[in-house]
Amino acid sequence: MSTPSLLILPGDGIGPEVMAEVRRIIDWFGAKRGLPFDVSEDLVGGAAYDAHGTPLTDDTMALAQDADAVLLGAVGGPKYDVLDFSVKPERGLLRLRKEMDLFANLRPAQCFDALADFSSLKRDVVAGLDIMIVRELTSGVYFGEPRGIFEDGNERVGINTQRYTESEIERVARSAFDLAMKRDRKLCSMEKANVMESGVLWREVVTRVGAEYPDVELSHMYADAGAMQLTRWPKQFDVIVTDNLFGDLLSDLAAMLTGSLGMLPSASLGAPMSNGRPKALYEPVHGSAPDIAGQGKANPIACILSFAMALRYSFDQGAEASRLEAAVEHVLAEGHRTADLLGEEGRAPLSTSAMGDAILAALDASV
Ligand code: NAD
């Protein structure tokens, strides 16, 4: 098989700083695990605007379409706030998501034992938590027509439309079942079938797709009850699949069960390419953090864990993904902390590159 290709788009602010650590880890897997990647790097966001007057060139878009996976740092910054909406850094990211048709957004909520006290919930509720929310990303109420603010008699009315076709539900359900097969084989689908017709159809289609995955235990829950269960006892879940709106809320809720923004990876997946791999964009949940950019303070773990997701979901290297996650867990258990993970503690934080060093040392010790 040919060497898998990886397009790296560091972007703006802390993006290049955290991505530099990921590149060292990618090199480690090539040198120590016989897992080479054909890595190319390009500009996105403000960095692309500075160089080319657009946040994403057609050439970079074409590279992204051809790559086996894309890994992005972050985009944006105060310098670009004055730009016209059409060339703002975020437009580069939106174009990638739209043209790659990334309809399944994967947001893991994973709580490393060493950080369980960072959560607003009790330690025993979150310690060891490892769940995945799959949010439909390209349809539903954020896109449905009609939409707008209209005159209605002597007042105005605001309208948005929740709309899902069977094929839109089917493809995101399939992504979620495929993921569940790579995890603990439990999938919970959340909607509001009790009050919404789109929810009735959602439940029907997910159940139909489920018949193709007899090894996955499928359950259904109303999304409001799901929110309660997520805060009551989140460990009952493995994979959750839900629509765009509910997924927006539930994935933020689940992510914050685990503490710091500097720890949260994500993935957005599209349809399978001719080689069977899904179109895929991996990125940390955090932004470009202009308040700490250029100071070596950023936590690189969210971006490193995004690469671990790429290993698992694009490259079928689940064991190597677990190796990387275990290295992160080990480093945290040993007490290594970047500034964002220290809270009020008085001790000196690790720099971005020192955290990278510690994770590489843990990887070395793992072989
Ligand atoms: P942010 O995520 O950049 O920062 C929020 C806070 O968290 C800041 O105090 C920051 O220092 C801290 N933080 C974030 N990531 C961290 C890390 N890895 N290590 C340590 N601390 C970290 O959100 P914001 O301040 O609202 O936005 C800043 C810029 O980023 C804006 O231009 C925004 O549009 C953009 N943004 C981009 C993305 C993206 O690229 N996907 C996402 C969100 C925001």
Side-chain angles (χ1 to χ4, degrees):
M1 247 172 86
S2 62
T3 310
S5 62
L6 197 53
L7 173 64
I8 290 194
L9 302 172
D12 308 320
I14 62 168
E17 297 170 48
V18 295
M19 198 60 88
E21 302 313 309
V22 177
R23 286 209 69 152
R24 295 166 71 200
I25 283 168
I26 293 170
D27 291 345
W28 185 91
F29 277 96
K32 302 285 174 68
R33 301 301 298 157
L35 252 185
F37 290 93
D38 181 2
V39 179
S40 51
E41 190 167 316
D42 213 331
L43 302 174
V44 69
Y49 178 81
D50 288 341
H52 305 295
T54 168
L56 189 79
T57 65
D58 292 345
D59 287 349
T60 311
M61 188 65 239
L63 286 176
Q65 293 284 21
D66 284 346
D68 288 321
V70 180
L71 193 57
L72 185 136
V75 296
K79 177 180 163 193
Y80 307 104
D81 285 350
V82 294
L83 292 181
D84 184 74
F85 192 66
S86 62
V87 288
K88 276 198 190 295
E90 292 74 11
R91 298 293 292 184
L93 183 51
L94 293 177
R95 182 176 175 197
L96 281 166
R97 288 180 182 153
K98 183 162 191 296
E99 293 193 18
M100 292 169 76
D101 199 10
L102 303 172
F103 55 81
N105 183 222
L106 278 51
R107 292 272 300 267
Q110 199 173 4
C111 186
F112 293 102
D113 212 40
L115 298 183
D117 293 324
F118 257 78
S119 173
S120 51
L121 298 189
K122 291 193 198 96
R123 164 173 273 277
D124 69 316
V125 176
V126 291
L129 178 71
D130 180 8
I131 62 178
M132 175 75 78
I133 303 214
V134 181
R135 166 190 173 195
E136 199 289 326
L137 201 59
T138 53
S139 186
V141 73
Y142 293 161
F143 296 93
E145 298 284 347
R147 62 180 297 164
I149 300 175
F150 304 97
E151 297 295 332
D152 184 21
N154 55 3
E155 62 176 353
R156 293 180 305 157
V157 55
I159 297 180
N160 291 92
T161 302
Q162 168 84 333
R163 182 181 190 277
Y164 271 109
T165 64
E166 286 187 284
S167 53
E168 286 168 341
I169 302 168
E170 193 173 319
R171 64 184 189 172
V172 72
R174 217 170 278 284
S175 295
F177 278 108
D178 287 341
L179 277 174
M181 288 294 290
K182 292 182 180 177
R183 295 173 48 97
D184 287 345
R185 304 190 172 194
K186 265 173 62 182
L187 177 64
C188 182
S189 170
M190 294 189 186
E191 26 57 17
K192 291 277 289 174
N194 49 342
V195 285
M196 296 170 74
E197 285 75 8
S198 58
V200 174
L201 186 68
W202 182 281
R203 189 174 284 218
E204 195 185 301
V205 174
V206 172
T207 304
R208 190 172 73 211
V209 175
E212 297 168 32
Y213 295 84
D215 294 337
V216 177
E217 181 195 320
L218 172 66
S219 60
H220 302 273
M221 206 176 267
Y222 298 138
D224 49 344
M228 281 199 281
Q229 291 301 327
L230 268 171
T231 43
R232 190 188 67 82
W233 191 244
K235 290 184 214 172
Q236 68 186 282
F237 299 109
D238 177 28
V239 180
I240 292 171
V241 63
T242 188
D243 73 14
N244 203 342
L245 174 62
F246 297 140
D248 197 358
L249 308 179
L250 294 172
S251 64
D252 270 13
L253 185 158
M256 274 302 112
L257 298 176
T258 67
S260 167
L261 201 50
M263 296 288 302
L264 298 171
S266 80
S268 301
L269 305 183
M273 299 184 280
S274 56
N275 60 14
R277 294 188 174 114
K279 289 236 175 209
L281 173 75
Y282 298 88
E283 55 181 324
V285 168
H286 64 70
S288 58
D291 53 335
I292 57 166
Q295 302 171 35
K297 288 183 181 169
N299 183 351
I301 291 179
C303 203
I304 288 169
L305 292 177
S306 300
F307 174 62
M309 289 185 80
L311 285 173
R312 179 172 287 118
Y313 299 119
S314 279
F315 302 118
D316 262 325
Q317 295 288 341
E320 298 302 328
S322 298
R323 177 189 301 281
L324 180 51
E325 288 158 355
V328 169
E329 170 129 48
H330 178 78
V331 160
L332 294 170
E334 281 195 327
H336 297 292
R337 300 280 187 273
T338 42
D340 56 308
L341 302 178
L342 274 177
E344 298 304 306
E345 288 176 51
R347 62 195 169 105
L350 287 190
S351 67
T352 309
S353 60
M355 182 56 100
D357 291 343
I359 293 170
L360 284 166
L363 283 172
D364 277 337
S366 77
V367 293

PDB file of all heavy atoms in Angstrom, residues 309-326:
ATOM      1  N   MET A 309      -6.803  10.681  16.793  1.00  0.00           N
ATOM      2  CA  MET A 309      -8.083  10.346  16.140  1.00  0.00           C
ATOM      3  C   MET A 309      -7.842   9.996  14.676  1.00  0.00           C
ATOM      4  O   MET A 309      -8.465   9.071  14.139  1.00  0.00           O
ATOM      5  CB  MET A 309      -9.069  11.516  16.234  1.00  0.00           C
ATOM      6  CG  MET A 309      -9.608  11.764  17.628  1.00  0.00           C
ATOM      7  SD  MET A 309     -10.877  13.078  17.632  1.00  0.00           S
ATOM      8  CE  MET A 309     -12.314  12.155  17.062  1.00  0.00           C
ATOM      9  N   ALA A 310      -6.938  10.739  14.021  1.00  0.00           N
ATOM     10  CA  ALA A 310      -6.637  10.434  12.613  1.00  0.00           C
ATOM     11  C   ALA A 310      -6.061   9.030  12.495  1.00  0.00           C
ATOM     12  O   ALA A 310      -6.432   8.262  11.588  1.00  0.00           O
ATOM     13  CB  ALA A 310      -5.666  11.470  12.045  1.00  0.00           C
ATOM     14  N   LEU A 311      -5.165   8.669  13.416  1.00  0.00           N
ATOM     15  CA  LEU A 311      -4.589   7.319  13.382  1.00  0.00           C
ATOM     16  C   LEU A 311      -5.701   6.265  13.460  1.00  0.00           C
ATOM     17  O   LEU A 311      -5.709   5.285  12.722  1.00  0.00           O
ATOM     18  CB  LEU A 311      -3.629   7.116  14.562  1.00  0.00           C
ATOM     19  CG  LEU A 311      -2.265   7.801  14.478  1.00  0.00           C
ATOM     20  CD1 LEU A 311      -1.517   7.644  15.807  1.00  0.00           C
ATOM     21  CD2 LEU A 311      -1.431   7.199  13.344  1.00  0.00           C
ATOM     22  N   ARG A 312      -6.665   6.512  14.343  1.00  0.00           N
ATOM     23  CA  ARG A 312      -7.719   5.517  14.574  1.00  0.00           C
ATOM     24  C   ARG A 312      -8.759   5.510  13.453  1.00  0.00           C
ATOM     25  O   ARG A 312      -9.120   4.448  12.938  1.00  0.00           O
ATOM     26  CB  ARG A 312      -8.396   5.776  15.928  1.00  0.00           C
ATOM     27  CG  ARG A 312      -9.520   4.785  16.230  1.00  0.00           C
ATOM     28  CD  ARG A 312     -10.053   4.921  17.649  1.00  0.00           C
ATOM     29  NE  ARG A 312      -9.121   4.402  18.645  1.00  0.00           N
ATOM     30  CZ  ARG A 312      -8.558   5.125  19.601  1.00  0.00           C
ATOM     31  NH1 ARG A 312      -8.834   6.403  19.726  1.00  0.00           N
ATOM     32  NH2 ARG A 312      -7.729   4.565  20.453  1.00  0.00           N
ATOM     33  N   TYR A 313      -9.238   6.700  13.058  1.00  0.00           N
ATOM     34  CA  TYR A 313     -10.414   6.733  12.186  1.00  0.00           C
ATOM     35  C   TYR A 313     -10.092   6.870  10.707  1.00  0.00           C
ATOM     36  O   TYR A 313     -10.909   6.515   9.870  1.00  0.00           O
ATOM     37  CB  TYR A 313     -11.378   7.833  12.648  1.00  0.00           C
ATOM     38  CG  TYR A 313     -11.871   7.586  14.058  1.00  0.00           C
ATOM     39  CD1 TYR A 313     -11.620   8.486  15.084  1.00  0.00           C
ATOM     40  CD2 TYR A 313     -12.554   6.408  14.369  1.00  0.00           C
ATOM     41  CE1 TYR A 313     -12.049   8.228  16.383  1.00  0.00           C
ATOM     42  CE2 TYR A 313     -12.981   6.151  15.662  1.00  0.00           C
ATOM     43  CZ  TYR A 313     -12.728   7.061  16.668  1.00  0.00           C
ATOM     44  OH  TYR A 313     -13.146   6.800  17.941  1.00  0.00           O
ATOM     45  N   SER A 314      -8.886   7.396  10.351  1.00  0.00           N
ATOM     46  CA  SER A 314      -8.534   7.453   8.929  1.00  0.00           C
ATOM     47  C   SER A 314      -7.582   6.329   8.543  1.00  0.00           C
ATOM     48  O   SER A 314      -7.621   5.854   7.413  1.00  0.00           O
ATOM     49  CB  SER A 314      -7.866   8.789   8.585  1.00  0.00           C
ATOM     50  OG  SER A 314      -8.834   9.793   8.394  1.00  0.00           O
ATOM     51  N   PHE A 315      -6.711   5.943   9.473  1.00  0.00           N
ATOM     52  CA  PHE A 315      -5.623   5.048   9.076  1.00  0.00           C
ATOM     53  C   PHE A 315      -5.710   3.663   9.717  1.00  0.00           C
ATOM     54  O   PHE A 315      -4.768   2.878   9.607  1.00  0.00           O
ATOM     55  CB  PHE A 315      -4.277   5.722   9.384  1.00  0.00           C
ATOM     56  CG  PHE A 315      -4.137   7.048   8.671  1.00  0.00           C
ATOM     57  CD1 PHE A 315      -3.995   8.232   9.385  1.00  0.00           C
ATOM     58  CD2 PHE A 315      -4.201   7.120   7.291  1.00  0.00           C
ATOM     59  CE1 PHE A 315      -3.898   9.456   8.722  1.00  0.00           C
ATOM     60  CE2 PHE A 315      -4.100   8.336   6.620  1.00  0.00           C
ATOM     61  CZ  PHE A 315      -3.949   9.506   7.340  1.00  0.00           C
ATOM     62  N   ASP A 316      -6.844   3.385  10.402  1.00  0.00           N
ATOM     63  CA  ASP A 316      -7.054   2.062  10.997  1.00  0.00           C
ATOM     64  C   ASP A 316      -5.919   1.620  11.894  1.00  0.00           C
ATOM     65  O   ASP A 316      -5.541   0.445  11.899  1.00  0.00           O
ATOM     66  CB  ASP A 316      -7.277   1.017   9.891  1.00  0.00           C
ATOM     67  CG  ASP A 316      -8.767   0.776   9.712  1.00  0.00           C
ATOM     68  OD1 ASP A 316      -9.497   0.825  10.725  1.00  0.00           O
ATOM     69  OD2 ASP A 316      -9.195   0.566   8.556  1.00  0.00           O
ATOM     70  N   GLN A 317      -5.338   2.553  12.607  1.00  0.00           N
ATOM     71  CA  GLN A 317      -4.220   2.247  13.513  1.00  0.00           C
ATOM     72  C   GLN A 317      -4.684   2.454  14.953  1.00  0.00           C
ATOM     73  O   GLN A 317      -4.102   3.228  15.715  1.00  0.00           O
ATOM     74  CB  GLN A 317      -3.013   3.160  13.205  1.00  0.00           C
ATOM     75  CG  GLN A 317      -2.400   2.946  11.851  1.00  0.00           C
ATOM     76  CD  GLN A 317      -1.640   1.627  11.770  1.00  0.00           C
ATOM     77  OE1 GLN A 317      -1.278   1.039  12.805  1.00  0.00           O
ATOM     78  NE2 GLN A 317      -1.399   1.132  10.572  1.00  0.00           N
ATOM     79  N   GLY A 318      -5.742   1.729  15.317  1.00  0.00           N
ATOM     80  CA  GLY A 318      -6.326   1.893  16.648  1.00  0.00           C
ATOM     81  C   GLY A 318      -5.322   1.644  17.764  1.00  0.00           C
ATOM     82  O   GLY A 318      -5.285   2.368  18.761  1.00  0.00           O
ATOM     83  N   ALA A 319      -4.458   0.626  17.588  1.00  0.00           N
ATOM     84  CA  ALA A 319      -3.503   0.294  18.653  1.00  0.00           C
ATOM     85  C   ALA A 319      -2.481   1.422  18.816  1.00  0.00           C
ATOM     86  O   ALA A 319      -2.098   1.778  19.944  1.00  0.00           O
ATOM     87  CB  ALA A 319      -2.792  -1.022  18.337  1.00  0.00           C
ATOM     88  N   GLU A 320      -2.059   2.012  17.703  1.00  0.00           N
ATOM     89  CA  GLU A 320      -1.085   3.111  17.786  1.00  0.00           C
ATOM     90  C   GLU A 320      -1.752   4.380  18.334  1.00  0.00           C
ATOM     91  O   GLU A 320      -1.121   5.158  19.049  1.00  0.00           O
ATOM     92  CB  GLU A 320      -0.441   3.377  16.420  1.00  0.00           C
ATOM     93  CG  GLU A 320       0.353   2.186  15.879  1.00  0.00           C
ATOM     94  CD  GLU A 320       1.478   1.723  16.817  1.00  0.00           C
ATOM     95  OE1 GLU A 320       2.062   2.570  17.519  1.00  0.00           O
ATOM     96  OE2 GLU A 320       1.752   0.514  16.849  1.00  0.00           O
ATOM     97  N   ALA A 321      -3.026   4.586  18.001  1.00  0.00           N
ATOM     98  CA  ALA A 321      -3.771   5.714  18.579  1.00  0.00           C
ATOM     99  C   ALA A 321      -3.831   5.546  20.100  1.00  0.00           C
ATOM    100  O   ALA A 321      -3.600   6.498  20.860  1.00  0.00           O
ATOM    101  CB  ALA A 321      -5.177   5.784  17.990  1.00  0.00           C
ATOM    102  N   SER A 322      -4.112   4.324  20.543  1.00  0.00           N
ATOM    103  CA  SER A 322      -4.180   4.064  21.990  1.00  0.00           C
ATOM    104  C   SER A 322      -2.804   4.287  22.631  1.00  0.00           C
ATOM    105  O   SER A 322      -2.711   4.766  23.766  1.00  0.00           O
ATOM    106  CB  SER A 322      -4.633   2.635  22.270  1.00  0.00           C
ATOM    107  OG  SER A 322      -5.933   2.443  21.752  1.00  0.00           O
ATOM    108  N   ARG A 323      -1.742   3.928  21.905  1.00  0.00           N
ATOM    109  CA  ARG A 323      -0.383   4.145  22.425  1.00  0.00           C
ATOM    110  C   ARG A 323      -0.147   5.650  22.683  1.00  0.00           C
ATOM    111  O   ARG A 323       0.374   6.043  23.727  1.00  0.00           O
ATOM    112  CB  ARG A 323       0.641   3.627  21.405  1.00  0.00           C
ATOM    113  CG  ARG A 323       2.097   3.860  21.798  1.00  0.00           C
ATOM    114  CD  ARG A 323       3.031   3.523  20.633  1.00  0.00           C
ATOM    115  NE  ARG A 323       2.892   2.151  20.186  1.00  0.00           N
ATOM    116  CZ  ARG A 323       3.429   1.090  20.797  1.00  0.00           C
ATOM    117  NH1 ARG A 323       4.179   1.269  21.850  1.00  0.00           N
ATOM    118  NH2 ARG A 323       3.224  -0.133  20.335  1.00  0.00           N
ATOM    119  N   LEU A 324      -0.571   6.466  21.718  1.00  0.00           N
ATOM    120  CA  LEU A 324      -0.380   7.915  21.855  1.00  0.00           C
ATOM    121  C   LEU A 324      -1.242   8.466  22.999  1.00  0.00           C
ATOM    122  O   LEU A 324      -0.780   9.275  23.810  1.00  0.00           O
ATOM    123  CB  LEU A 324      -0.716   8.599  20.516  1.00  0.00           C
ATOM    124  CG  LEU A 324      -0.577  10.109  20.433  1.00  0.00           C
ATOM    125  CD1 LEU A 324       0.782  10.591  20.938  1.00  0.00           C
ATOM    126  CD2 LEU A 324      -0.781  10.583  18.981  1.00  0.00           C
ATOM    127  N   GLU A 325      -2.493   8.011  23.080  1.00  0.00           N
ATOM    128  CA  GLU A 325      -3.371   8.475  24.164  1.00  0.00           C
ATOM    129  C   GLU A 325      -2.823   8.039  25.525  1.00  0.00           C
ATOM    130  O   GLU A 325      -2.871   8.791  26.506  1.00  0.00           O
ATOM    131  CB  GLU A 325      -4.788   7.925  23.964  1.00  0.00           C
ATOM    132  CG  GLU A 325      -5.512   8.612  22.805  1.00  0.00           C
ATOM    133  CD  GLU A 325      -6.670   7.799  22.223  1.00  0.00           C
ATOM    134  OE1 GLU A 325      -6.873   6.641  22.649  1.00  0.00           O
ATOM    135  OE2 GLU A 325      -7.355   8.324  21.338  1.00  0.00           O
ATOM    136  N   ALA A 326      -2.255   6.822  25.565  1.00  0.00           N
ATOM    137  CA  ALA A 326      -1.689   6.341  26.829  1.00  0.00           C
ATOM    138  C   ALA A 326      -0.463   7.172  27.209  1.00  0.00           C
ATOM    139  O   ALA A 326      -0.220   7.421  28.401  1.00  0.00           O
ATOM    140  CB  ALA A 326      -1.317   4.855  26.697  1.00  0.00           C
TER     141      ALA A 326
END
